[in-house]
Amino acid sequence: MQTLQAIIFDVDGTIADTEELHRQAFNRTFVDYGLDWDWTRARYAELLCISGGRERMYAYARALGAEFTPPTELERFSIELHRHKTALYRELLATGRLGLRPGVRRLIDEARAAGVRLALATSTARGNVTQLLNPLWPADWQNWFDAIVTADEVAEKKPSNAVYREALRLLDLPADRCVAIEDTVNGLRAARAAGLKTIVTTHYFTELHAFPGASLVVDHLGEPNLPCRVTTSRVGPVSCVDLGVLRRALNAPEVTRFRFHSSAAYATAL
Ligand code: XBP
């Protein structure tokens, strides 16, 4: 029996339901730059097959082919768009009061009380993480995490396992003592590629996606008075994801045979 020693949380879509705000920031950027791009919710659900907002816009522009001629070299233009989008996203975070997803704080408190260590591993910028979490948690919240790995520390985006490998390095733990919690196929792929058992909490943009290789797929982590809805489980019945469920996931037989289906055309435009 392996002992659960750490939980590694993804951020966007997992800690908080941020992707709708990201989507709004992208669309406001397109208006500000006079682009007739409109990332509807359906299109954004497809585009989430690409981690990294800059990479997502780059791939979208490339997929437009001759329909779109960037004002400058596309790489440079996508960087400029992304800077603008990030500023708008942080304004949206500052004006709204985006809460944590169900069960996140409960599980973090349970882990801290039990001496289970914590880490964050995300493809977004560190500034986005602090802007999101500073208003939600006490001033010393970063001390709760023994590793916070963002796009600032590891440029390679999910599904690369780079952020998870860096989190494990900083934790100085092997993958088989930790469980990852994710929200997207790319996040699941990244965590699995780092050898981590992974729990997926879906949301509007990912609820129709398939998550082969996940130990458990639920609509959220659950609260005692708000049971989660299980899509798939390799850990038996679950109504609330607690340390016991994570320990079952850690010690369940390894998932070896699974295949990720190639996602939307955008992924090939990178
Ligand atoms: C989520 C992402 C990010 C956000 C947009 O990262 O893939 O790209 O969608 O944020 P994770 P940026 O799930 O790893 O937290 O525009 O800053 O990339």
Side-chain angles (χ1 to χ4, degrees), residues 186-213:
N186 272 357
L188 171 62
R189 293 177 68 173
R192 296 295 292 136
L196 289 158
K197 294 287 183 61
T198 306
I199 287 173
V200 172
T201 54
T202 60
H203 47 72
Y204 172 86
F205 293 110
T206 63
E207 60 193 7
L208 301 179
H209 295 176
F211 295 98

Side-chain angles (χ1 to χ4, degrees), residues 9-16 18 120-122 124 129 132-133 158:
F9 285 87
D10 162 56
V11 176
D12 283 309
T14 299
I15 294 274
T18 54
L120 296 176
T122 174
T124 199
V129 177
L132 168 68
L133 297 177
K158 300 172 183 175

Side-chain angles (χ1 to χ4, degrees), residues 11 17 22 34 72 80 100 102 141-142 160 182 209 261 267:
V11 176
D17 215 344
H22 280 299
T72 59
E80 183 183 344
L100 299 172
W141 69 267
Q142 296 194 39
S160 157
E182 269 287 353
H209 295 176
H261 307 288

